[in-house]
Amino acid sequence: MSDLAALLDAAQTGERRPLARLLTAIESRSPDVRPMLPQLFAAGHGAHLVGITGPPGSGKSTLVSALIAEFRRRGRRVGVLAVDPSSPYTRGAILGDRIRMMEHAADRDVFMRSMAARGELGGLAATTWIAAAALDAAGYDPILVETVGAGQSEVEIARLAETTVVVEVPEMGDEVQAIKAGLLEVADVIAVNKGDRPGAPRAARQLRAMMSGAGGRFARKPPPIVITTATSGEGVAELADAIDAHRSTARSPTQSRERARNQVARALADLALQRAASAEGWDATLDAVASRELDPVTAAERLFDGAM
Ligand SMILES: Nc1nc2c(ncn2[C@@H]2O[C@H](COP(=O)(O)OP(=O)(O)OP(=O)(O)O)[C@@H](O)[C@H]2O)c(=O)[nH]1
Ligand SMILES: [Mg+2]
């Protein structure tokens, strides 16, 4: 990874290959990346980082593709990261995404990248964050991050995004409803996709009632709900408007600080674990906890304080 500045300059003009190599280094957690981080973050232009999440098959990739088209019409250069925490080995979903977004493959002002899971969840969130920083430094804005599935990692990645779009579909079974509740808490904008289905307006009304219910768990201002049909593009301009409108809210001092806190907390947890795991006494400590001679909290305290 010779010259980061030259690489970023080239990327600004639509030269995607060096940027693709940088993302490979980030994804594989190359030791070359760490020394670049200060320069990478300093080179950022302040791109809007948008998370797109929701139940499997709700149309996230189709919607991302439609959003790319909409933002391109608005003269923006668009970066896309498709993150798949659930399947480190099978790349089926990601291949599907590639095909779905293929219509933008020839556009030099669109950069798309699939990121597969490597290692633990927290690591994936951190890697995604650095990849987004690289796209920001390369002049893409907005950066759309699609996460597949519905679990802990989605919520974690959503917490790093400035604006989180949760994609729902009408006529969901109870099972999906349960997943939904957790995701709705992180929603800044809700897209009720598959708007061509008859249940869409009703689903939107139900969600609205649920989100604005007095004394409910959603104490904050309810997010806007937009009905979209990703396959035809209907409602996608409104969705892009809602995303753009949320940008300034996301950048209030309180929210910026909250995000900074999450990023630093994540990095700190990774660092503590990394240091402790390479310290002397790690194996002995694990053995002591396994044999119940030591409780895990005391063990962690001792490792953190370097006392093992
Ligand atoms: N009728 C209808 N079908 C849609 C719409 N949007 C997406 N689909 C279809 O829904 C299916 C799933 O779409 P994807 O975009 O792959 O959904 P996804 O949420 O990215 O799926 P995963 O990444 O696997 O979780 C595809 O067959 C799409 O063509 C829509 O607005 N209306
Ligand atoms: Mg998808």
Side-chain angles (χ1 to χ4, degrees), residues 13 26 42 56 65 118 197 241 273:
T13 66
I26 292 169
S65 191
R118 303 263 163 94
R197 289 194 187 167
D241 286 343
L273 182 58

Side-chain angles (χ1 to χ4, degrees), residues 17-83:
R17 212 172 309 159
L19 182 60
R21 278 200 297 273
L22 174 60
L23 286 189
T24 302
I26 292 169
E27 189 184 24
S28 63
R29 304 214 204 176
S30 155
D32 296 344
V33 173
R34 173 65 192 89
M36 290 183 204
L37 283 187
Q39 199 192 343
L40 198 59
F41 276 76
H45 298 87
H48 190 189
L49 187 59
V50 181
I52 312 279
T53 190
S58 54
K60 298 178 292 294
S61 299
T62 315
L63 204 50
V64 164
S65 191
L67 280 170
I68 295 172
E70 180 59 31
F71 282 119
R72 289 295 296 127
R73 271 194 286 279
R74 298 177 184 201
R76 315 262 291 269
R77 303 179 75 218
V78 187
V80 177
L81 297 171
V83 183

Side-chain angles (χ1 to χ4, degrees), residues 55-62 97 100 146 148 193-194 196 229-231:
S58 54
K60 298 178 292 294
S61 299
T62 315
D97 287 346
R100 226 152 270 136
E146 179 191 342
V148 178
N193 191 42
K194 310 201 180 181
D196 49 331
T229 304
T231 39

Side-chain angles (χ1 to χ4, degrees), residues 53-124:
T53 190
S58 54
K60 298 178 292 294
S61 299
T62 315
L63 204 50
V64 164
S65 191
L67 280 170
I68 295 172
E70 180 59 31
F71 282 119
R72 289 295 296 127
R73 271 194 286 279
R74 298 177 184 201
R76 315 262 291 269
R77 303 179 75 218
V78 187
V80 177
L81 297 171
V83 183
D84 187 352
S86 53
S87 58
Y89 305 112
T90 62
R91 291 213 165 208
I94 281 180
L95 267 180
D97 287 346
R98 283 238 175 89
I99 292 160
R100 226 152 270 136
M101 296 177 196
M102 214 45 163
E103 55 176 313
H104 304 290
D107 186 343
R108 287 164 73 86
D109 290 318
V110 177
F111 187 98
M112 295 176 284
R113 176 72 179 218
S114 299
M115 313 266 293
R118 303 263 163 94
E120 69 283 17
L121 284 181
L124 182 63

Side-chain angles (χ1 to χ4, degrees), residues 7-9 11-14 19 40 43-45 77 132-140:
L7 183 159
L8 295 175
D9 279 349
Q12 303 273 358
T13 66
L19 182 60
L40 198 59
H45 298 87
R77 303 179 75 218
L135 294 186
D136 180 16
Y140 294 97

Side-chain angles (χ1 to χ4, degrees), residues 67 70-71 74 235-247:
L67 280 170
E70 180 59 31
F71 282 119
R74 298 177 184 201
V236 174
E238 288 77 6
L239 178 59
D241 286 343
I243 291 170
D244 279 344
H246 186 261
R247 186 182 185 125

